[in-house]
Amino acid sequence: MLALQFLTRVPVPAWVGFDPAQMRRAVRHFPLVGVLIGAFSAGIALAASRLWPPTVAAALAVAATVWLTAAFHEDGLADTFDALLGAAPRDKALAIMKDSRIGTYGAVALVLSLLLRTLLLAELMARDPAAAAVILIAAHASGRSAAVALMAALPYARTEEGDAAQAKAGSVARDVPGIDAAWAVAVGLLTLAFAAWTQASPIAAGASLLALGCMVLMLRHWLRRHLGGYTGDTLGAAEQFGEVAVLLSFAASASG
């Protein structure tokens, strides 16, 4: 319930509260929350496809996830690109990530992410709506698995705990137990395997796994070089990259 509260706008009972130790353990459930988010988006896509063309249905499905997550990961993607594509020194890059305004790099990254996810989902739905729904769930789950893997691969970049919100973000990002990271990755792998099974295409699962692994390694190198670690914003960027990587892999497999 803590993971659900952190990643979505879904209301949870007041007694759930917030406990840093439990929040660190809740990271293992981020991919399961991704399954729920993906299922919600898939339901919207399938319902909309009965009334409109695949492109419109896909756009509504992507919009539904943006609403459900309050653009949580999209915000991280935009902040990451604004901070790191401008060749700013580390301290300035971290300050840019705290700025609520969006710049050119962030706006372009956000538009391209939304466009790619919409077009790829539309392509998959045009071929097989039911299979596309399962692939969408796998993309959301494994994208969050990739973010958790990044947590385990790097230290947290920020050292200051300026306000309550910053302290809350830090408590999530630090000291993630290895067993919990492994559990999160395993959930992502299972969703990919199931999606590949629905298409009878193990190649799609293999391509997705390879793309996700390369993406995590590249992000790890990029963030270590520029920040010395990662922030909550960069985890959002990792989740967005993960979604796109999975959708690209399955769309390429379907085309082949």
Side-chain angles (χ1 to χ4, degrees):
M1 297 185 81
L2 278 171
L4 188 67
Q5 175 182 251
F6 188 76
L7 294 178
T8 74
R9 61 169 71 243
V10 175
V12 300
W15 55 261
V16 173
F18 177 80
D19 177 74
Q22 288 192 355
M23 192 65 236
R24 282 191 290 272
R25 300 304 306 275
V27 165
R28 70 187 295 172
H29 300 305
F30 280 10
L32 288 178
V33 175
V35 170
L36 296 177
I37 295 169
F40 175 75
S41 180
I44 297 293
L46 291 174
S49 66
R50 296 179 176 273
L51 300 173
W52 298 288
T55 304
V56 176
L60 291 173
V62 171
T65 62
V66 172
W67 172 82
L68 185 62
T69 62
F72 188 49
H73 304 299
E74 286 80 4
D75 177 68
L77 176 73
D79 285 345
T80 296
F81 272 75
D82 276 337
L84 298 183
L85 283 194
R90 178 181 182 275
D91 290 344
K92 185 175 181 180
L94 291 172
I96 290 172
M97 288 185 184
K98 287 186 174 182
D99 195 333
S100 60
R101 293 170 295 181
I102 186 170
T104 301
Y105 292 131
V108 170
L110 189 57
V111 169
L112 290 176
S113 172
L114 292 169
L115 184 62
L116 269 174
R117 287 151 59 199
T118 299
L119 292 179
L120 288 167
L121 179 58
E123 173 67 19
L124 291 168
M125 290 191 65
R127 296 174 181 274
D128 186 342
V134 177
I135 294 167
L136 183 60
I137 293 171
H140 279 278
S142 54
R144 286 160 180 84
S145 293
V148 177
L150 199 60
M151 289 185 190
L154 284 172
Y156 189 56
R158 296 189 188 277
T159 56
E160 76 280 5
E161 303 286 355
D163 54 21
Q166 180 63 29
K168 182 175 180 180
S171 68
V172 174
R174 297 177 183 179
D175 305 322
V176 177
I179 186 65
D180 290 339
W183 175 270
V185 171
V187 172
L189 292 177
L190 285 173
T191 62
L192 285 176
F194 183 70
W197 177 76
T198 63
Q199 283 203 335
S201 176
I203 294 177
S208 296
L209 181 59
L210 179 62
L212 287 168
C214 290
M215 181 270 292
V216 170
L217 290 175
M218 291 174 66
L219 275 179
R220 178 177 178 271
H221 173 75
W222 191 37
L223 297 177
R224 185 186 292 278
R225 178 181 177 185
H226 291 282
L227 298 178
Y230 64 93
T231 67
D233 284 324
T234 63
L235 295 179
E239 190 280 333
Q240 294 280 282
F241 284 145
E243 276 190 51
V244 171
V246 172
L247 292 173
L248 278 170
S249 298
F250 275 91
S253 175
S255 297

